[in-house]
Amino acid sequence: MTKAAQDRAIAVVVFILAGAMFLQAGELPFEAGLFPRLVTAVMLMAAVAMFARSFMRPGGAKAEPVFVNWPLLAITLIMTVLYVIAVRAIGYFTSSVVFVPAIAYALGLRDHRAIAAGTVLFVAFLYLVFVRVFQLPMPREMLLERFL
């Protein structure tokens, strides 16, 4: 498979997934679905751009493997699914405090200070954007509600 063919295939898959997510986001109330629709619209445009760019490449360079570490991909996907489930069970921020360092460690990052700083900054950013700026209702926080 050539690099151009690989890019086309990836662009089609991303377009289909982003389109499905865009339609799903349309079922949300307007304000709650605005951000997901914006993100998926950007994904759709990026997929179209990637597809178009694949025709502009001269030659037929051989494609590199898309995934070189299948077990790591599987672990990442499983952890992401568990994160989504945990958001409903224990809350968005609590799940994020667990997920961010876990995924960083699974991906090979071993600098504990960087992991801690990244987690704090990420969760603070989530809080500022979703709670303070957009004033969106968040899933119930089973652990943090005891401390806040």
Side-chain angles (χ1 to χ4, degrees):
M1 175 182 284
T2 66
K3 177 76 172 133
Q6 183 183 52
D7 284 353
R8 282 185 211 116
I10 292 170
V12 168
V13 169
V14 169
F15 188 86
I16 291 169
L17 292 174
M21 289 185 285
F22 186 85
L23 293 174
Q24 283 262 325
E27 296 175 10
L28 297 170
F30 178 74
E31 286 184 2
L34 190 60
F35 185 71
R37 283 191 294 266
L38 175 67
V39 170
T40 54
V42 169
M43 289 174 63
L44 287 165
M45 290 185 289
V48 169
M50 183 178 190
F51 190 83
R53 188 184 71 169
S54 71
F55 290 101
M56 297 175 194
R57 245 191 216 122
K62 187 171 172 10
E64 305 259 340
V66 176
F67 301 108
V68 292
N69 190 336
W70 286 98
L72 185 57
L73 173 66
I75 290 168
T76 303
L77 290 174
I78 290 167
M79 290 176 73
T80 303
V81 169
L82 292 174
Y83 173 62
V84 170
I85 293 168
V87 166
R88 289 181 186 236
I90 63 173
Y92 190 52
F93 301 112
T94 306
S95 299
S96 297
V97 166
V98 173
F99 176 75
V100 171
I103 199 76
Y105 189 78
L107 293 173
L109 185 60
R110 298 293 184 263
D111 184 346
H112 300 298
R113 288 184 195 158
I115 292 173
T119 302
V120 168
L121 290 172
F122 180 71
V123 172
F125 175 77
L126 292 176
Y127 179 79
L128 287 173
V129 169
F130 292 114
V131 175
R132 293 295 184 192
V133 175
F134 292 123
Q135 299 178 349
L136 296 175
M138 302 305 289
R140 187 167 161 239
E141 289 290 330
M142 295 192 62
L143 299 177
L144 292 180
E145 70 185 8
R146 294 181 183 199
F147 301 108
L148 298 177

